[in-house]
């Protein structure tokens, strides 16, 4: 597998789109968090809105892991897009065929793409951890790791985004179309998710049955739903009117979707004409 | 040993039957031509052998074994179009090929030299002309000096000089004892370089075997004399004659390939009392032969 990844690296390392998108992604994580950081440091803490927010800086250690995971989660579309471009390029240039003609098995081809999704997720998580340390120190607190679970949720989310990107790429094969479908699907799922959440609440109020936030059981939302902004004051106020959050159930769904993505991607590449 | 054994391979695209129970065998050391008009299933067949397409029915073997990825690493293949990473140079692309084939990168410059691409080895693939792309694809197939080559329309997009060079290269490789499987829609190409041939039409195998047996030409000799009727009767007893017909005021005599002797024909007619006013050997055009085979 190491040899296969080395070949993927040869394909990527002098690809301008790869370099530019990677830089933008790293920059994006720091910029997004810096914006949130300075809003809290300079605006919110000095305004009347202080009432509504927690009495801590969300970038203090312990909380920083949750804040940074949640905030960085918004730009995870970038590594996913990069993956779509890299995988669909193979179809566009027909190099997927050439790789196999030259002596890869079909399994080699899809396995290394799935591995790439994993590597992208690991690297993204690593960047977030580094950013966590930097922002934590910047807010002047001492290092602590309570709430680090949120970084693991972040990893799960980026892995889920990336594997879905690989699946869409092998199913759709065309770059622009695949990216388009990815976005449309994200939007559509959000709308359906909101509707399901409203329905969940209605169920909870009208019957004794509490299904939890059902919107979180959808593929992309299962990964999203694990992450939230640390804001206990507001949450406590709203808690009574929210569906219960069954974290382990949501994790279960997220993992099940990961397996589904892997299974479908493998099946598509192994069984069909290339 | 057979390099490739194809057993009753069929391939359907929905209702379209691209291949129908095609079977043949490629012996080691042969230059095997797969000949057929466009759309006859040549590329589909090679695609199945290279595992980029799945057959609907039938099976095949490589090196007398059930096919696997490790067999493909021993074969240099150019299938249909040159497929490379557009943003990478020739050398960078071939490094990837070498890594997948698990052969030495040191061979890259040798193969680029062979196809005259050394001066442009560091330019991105996207800047190449059609002919250069094709030559890079041939270089990639030659990388690592594989014992078997599969070349699908290898002279596609090349200028006449390039075509001659590639044919010369194929002959040289064949002389080294390599097995070459070549798909082509050009009969003269197959005739010039191949030892064996399989002819496909509409996905069906029409015939296969040695080129000398299948693409053989009859020798055709045209004669005429003052008294055609009497000449026609007389030449029927000529030794070695396969057949004859009268056409446009001349008589066409057919002989087995390479057996017609104009001097003997002349003497035979003279001894029968006919002085020939016309005596010439005629080449049967290749197009006629190809049409004959595929219609």
């Amino acid at each position: 597998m190491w040899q296969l990844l080395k070949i993927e690296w040869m394909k990527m390392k002098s690809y301008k789109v790869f370099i530019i998108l990677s830089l933008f992604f790293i920059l994006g994580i720091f910029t997004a968090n810096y914006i949130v950081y300075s809003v809290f440091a300079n605006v919110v803490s000095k305004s009347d809105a202080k009432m509504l927010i927690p009495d801590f800086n969300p970038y203090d250690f312990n909380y920083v892991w949750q804040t940074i995971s949640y905030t960085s989660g918004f730009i995870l579309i970038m590594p996913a897009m990069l993956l779509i471009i890299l995988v669909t390029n193979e179809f566009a240039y027909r190099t997927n065929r050439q790789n196999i003609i030259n002596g890869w098995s079909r399994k080699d081809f899809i396995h290394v793409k799935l591995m790439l999704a994993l590597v992208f997720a690991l690297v993204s998580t690593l960047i977030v951890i580094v950013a966590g340390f930097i922002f934590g120190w910047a807010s002047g607190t001492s290092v602590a790791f309570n709430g680090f679970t949120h970084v693991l949720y972040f990893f799960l989310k980026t892995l889920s985004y990336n594997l879905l990107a690989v699946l869409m790429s092998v199913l759709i094969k065309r770059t622009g179309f695949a990216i388009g479908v990815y976005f449309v699907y994200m939007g559509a799922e959000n709308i359906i998710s909101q509707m399901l959440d409203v329905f969940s609440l209605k169920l909870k109020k009208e019957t004794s049955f509490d299904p939890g936030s059902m919107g979180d059981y959808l593929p992309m939302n299962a990964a999203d739903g694990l992450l939230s902004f640390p804001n206990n004051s507001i949450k406590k106020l709203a808690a009574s009117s929210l569906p219960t959050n069954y974290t382990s159930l949501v994790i279960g769904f997220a993992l099940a979707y990961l397996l589904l993505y892997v299974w479908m991607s493998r099946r598509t590449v192994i069984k069909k004409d290339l | 040993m057979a390099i490739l054994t194809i057993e009753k391979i069929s391939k359907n695209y929905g209702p379209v039957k691209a291949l129908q129970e095609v079977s043949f065998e490629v012996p080691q050391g042969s230059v095997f031509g797969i000949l057929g008009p466009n759309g006859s299933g040549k590329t589909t067949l090679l695609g199945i052998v290279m595992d980029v397409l799945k057959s609907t029915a039938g099976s095949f073997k490589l090196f007398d074994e059930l096919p696997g990825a490790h067999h493909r690493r021993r074969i240099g293949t150019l299938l249909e179009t040159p497929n490379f990473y557009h943003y990478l140079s020739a050398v960078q692309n071939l490094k990837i090929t070498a890594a997948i084939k698990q052969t030495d990168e040191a061979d890259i410059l040798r193969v680029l030299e062979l196809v005259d691409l050394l001066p442009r080895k560091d330019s991105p693939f996207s800047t190449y002309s059609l002919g250069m792309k094709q030559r890079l694809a041939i270089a990639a197939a030659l990388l690592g000096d594989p014992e078997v080559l599969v070349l699908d329309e290898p002279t596609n997009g090349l200028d006449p000089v390039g075509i001659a060079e590639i044919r010369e290269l194929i002959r040289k490789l064949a002389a080294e004892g390599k097995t070459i499987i070549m798909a082509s829609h050009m009969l003269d190409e197959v005739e010039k370089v191949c030892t064996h041939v399989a002819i496909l039409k509409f996905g069906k195998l029409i015939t296969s075997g040695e080129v000398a047996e299948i693409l053989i030409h009859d020798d055709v000799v045209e004669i005429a004399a003052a008294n055609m009727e009497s000449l026609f009767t007389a030449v029927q007893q000529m030794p070695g004659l396969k057949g004859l017909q009268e056409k446009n005021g001349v008589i066409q005599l057919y002989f087995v390939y390479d057996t017609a002797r104009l001097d003997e024909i002349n003497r035979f007619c003279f001894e029968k009392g006919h002085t020939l006013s016309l005596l010439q050997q005629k080449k049967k055009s290749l197009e006629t032969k190809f049409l004959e085979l595929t219609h």
Side-chain angles (χ1 to χ4, degrees):
Chain A
M1 190 47 81
W2 189 242
Q3 172 67 13
L4 299 184
L5 278 172
K6 235 173 84 184
I7 293 171
E8 287 303 299
W9 176 242
M10 292 165 81
K11 296 176 188 171
M12 280 153 43
K13 67 180 175 190
S14 42
Y15 186 37
K16 284 196 191 97
V17 176
F18 165 69
I19 297 166
I20 291 169
L21 270 179
S22 302
L23 287 178
F24 271 134
F25 175 61
I26 296 170
L27 210 67
I29 285 187
F30 283 92
T31 313
N33 281 290
Y34 183 72
I35 290 170
V36 176
Y37 177 86
S38 43
V39 165
F40 268 90
N42 304 321
V43 184
V44 181
S45 57
K46 290 171 191 159
S47 72
D48 293 344
K50 207 177 170 190
M51 293 286 293
L52 289 171
I53 62 145
D55 32 13
F56 52 85
N57 183 326
Y59 284 92
D60 287 349
F61 266 112
N62 285 347
Y63 299 108
V64 69
W65 303 120
Q66 185 175 357
T67 313
I68 210 149
S69 298
Y70 176 73
T71 310
S72 307
F74 281 97
I75 51 171
L76 279 181
I77 190 76
M78 287 174 78
M81 254 172 60
L82 179 55
L83 267 171
I84 291 180
I85 293 171
L86 288 172
V87 178
T88 51
N89 266 354
E90 303 265 12
F91 296 108
Y93 301 148
R94 295 166 81 91
T95 39
N96 62 324
R97 296 173 62 140
Q98 199 61 42
N99 286 168
I100 284 159
I101 287 168
N102 287 345
W104 266 4
S105 64
R106 286 169 177 241
K107 280 183 189 158
D108 288 338
F109 181 80
I110 186 60
H111 286 173
V112 76
K113 299 300 178 204
L114 295 170
M115 276 309 263
L116 209 56
L118 178 65
V119 170
F120 276 30
L122 285 171
V123 172
S124 306
T125 309
L126 204 68
I127 296 168
V128 158
I129 292 172
V130 170
F133 276 113
I134 293 172
F135 280 98
W137 279 322
S139 75
T141 48
S142 52
V143 177
F145 288 100
N146 285 337
F148 196 75
T149 334
H150 289 277
V151 175
L152 300 182
Y153 292 160
F154 173 86
F155 171 71
L156 202 60
K157 176 169 169 173
T158 163
L159 186 61
S160 168
Y161 273 44
N162 292 351
L163 286 174
L164 181 63
V166 171
L167 175 63
M168 292 226 170
S169 305
V170 300
L171 284 178
I172 297 169
K173 293 189 167 109
R174 283 166 54 193
T175 314
F177 199 34
I179 290 176
V181 170
Y182 196 93
F183 272 109
V184 168
Y185 177 73
M186 254 175 105
E189 207 193 278
N190 261 324
I191 295 168
I192 298 168
S193 154
Q194 303 289 340
M195 283 156 53
L196 276 175
D197 279 351
V198 170
F199 181 66
S200 306
L201 235 112
K202 213 174 141 199
L203 265 183
K204 189 185 175 185
K205 269 184 193 156
E206 288 173 7
T207 68
S208 54
F209 179 62
D210 179 5
S213 167
M214 287 200 291
D216 284 351
Y217 305 152
L218 296 173
M220 292 193 98
N221 280 53
D224 290 346
L226 294 167
L227 295 169
S228 60
F229 198 81
N231 196 345
N232 290 339
S233 321
I234 292 180
K235 267 200 192 145
K236 271 176 202 149
L237 281 174
S240 56
S241 61
L242 283 176
T244 317
N245 206 348
Y246 299 117
T247 309
S248 46
L249 185 62
V250 176
I251 294 176
F253 268 101
L255 290 175
Y257 287 123
L258 290 187
L259 288 179
L260 186 71
Y261 299 153
V262 170
W263 181 77
M264 281 178 73
S265 305
R266 284 187 85 237
R267 201 186 140 81
T268 308
V269 170
I270 292 171
K271 297 267 177 206
K272 288 195 175 161
D273 286 348
L274 299 176
Chain B
M1 183 178 77
I3 295 297
L4 168 64
T5 313
I6 290 176
E7 279 156 11
K8 294 196 171 176
I9 283 189
S10 299
K11 171 74 180 171
N12 301 342
Y13 291 107
V16 178
K17 290 181 170 150
L19 289 171
Q20 299 179 51
E21 298 203 347
V22 172
S23 306
F24 60 79
E25 203 179 282
V26 177
Q28 187 174 25
S30 62
V31 181
F32 198 102
I34 299 174
L35 181 64
N38 295 328
S40 59
K42 305 183 294 286
T43 303
T44 304
L45 184 64
L46 292 177
I48 290 169
V49 170
M50 288 297 141
D51 197 33
V52 294
L53 299 175
K54 293 286 183 190
S55 63
T56 311
S59 65
F60 65 96
K61 285 181 186 164
L62 286 169
F63 304 100
D64 285 335
E65 291 169 21
L66 286 177
H70 61 289
H71 290 123
R72 292 196 294 278
R73 291 199 281 271
R74 293 165 62 187
I75 303 174
T77 304
L78 156 61
L79 192 61
E80 206 172 15
T81 48
N83 307 321
F84 293 97
Y85 298 93
H86 290 203
Y87 49 89
L88 296 180
S89 71
V91 171
Q92 287 168 323
N93 267 300
L94 291 189
K95 276 186 180 169
I96 291 171
T97 311
I100 293 178
K101 284 196 157 311
Q102 300 172 10
T103 66
D104 199 348
E105 282 187 4
D107 200 33
I108 290 174
L109 293 182
R110 179 189 71 93
V111 294
L112 285 177
E113 163 103 70
L114 264 178
V115 297
D116 284 336
L117 275 180
L118 267 189
R120 292 289 299 276
K121 68 182 167 62
D122 296 317
S123 321
F125 178 74
S126 54
T127 64
Y128 281 18
S129 72
L130 189 61
M132 290 167 74
K133 287 176 178 172
Q134 185 73 4
R135 280 187 279 144
L136 182 59
I138 292 169
L142 296 174
L143 196 67
D145 203 20
E147 54 203 296
V148 179
L149 287 164
V150 174
L151 305 171
D152 185 10
E153 309 275 2
T155 54
N156 234 359
L158 297 181
D159 55 30
V161 178
I163 291 176
E165 280 171 4
I166 293 309
R167 284 183 187 163
E168 190 46 45
L169 185 65
I170 291 172
R171 267 194 220 104
K172 223 177 82 193
L173 292 166
E176 288 170 16
K178 297 194 188 310
T179 308
I180 298 165
I181 301 169
M182 189 175 97
S184 178
H185 63 270
M186 287 185 285
L187 180 70
D188 72 317
E189 186 163 89
V190 169
E191 204 186 26
K192 276 177 186 154
V193 297
C194 294
T195 58
H196 292 69
V197 65
I199 297 174
L200 285 180
K201 191 198 166 193
F202 295 141
K204 280 189 189 148
L205 182 73
I206 293 183
T207 178
S208 72
E210 289 184 30
V211 167
E213 285 169 14
I214 290 170
L215 297 184
I216 194 139
H217 301 278
D218 287 337
D219 281 356
V220 183
V221 177
E222 290 186 344
I223 56 172
N227 190 340
M228 291 296 277
E229 269 174 44
S230 144
L231 178 66
F232 193 84
T233 327
V235 292
Q236 287 187 14
Q237 287 114 43
M238 195 184 294
L241 187 73
K242 237 177 104 182
L244 78 169
Q245 66 169 336
E246 193 170 351
K247 201 176 163 187
N248 304 332
V250 299
I251 297 170
Q252 288 189 329
L253 308 173
Y254 297 93
F255 297 88
V256 174
Y257 178 66
D258 213 22
T259 60
R261 296 278 172 272
L262 293 187
D263 49 353
E264 280 168 21
I265 295 166
N266 197 10
R267 186 179 330 118
F268 180 89
C269 295
F270 192 73
E271 280 165 4
K272 296 279 175 193
H274 294 282
T275 313
L276 295 179
S277 57
L278 171 81
L279 172 64
Q280 66 174 12
Q281 188 156 359
K282 214 171 173 244
K283 286 257 179 237
K284 199 168 193 177
S285 87
L286 290 170
E287 285 74 19
T288 323
K289 186 77 189 174
F290 190 45
L291 288 173
E292 229 172 68
L293 280 168
T294 54
H295 280 83

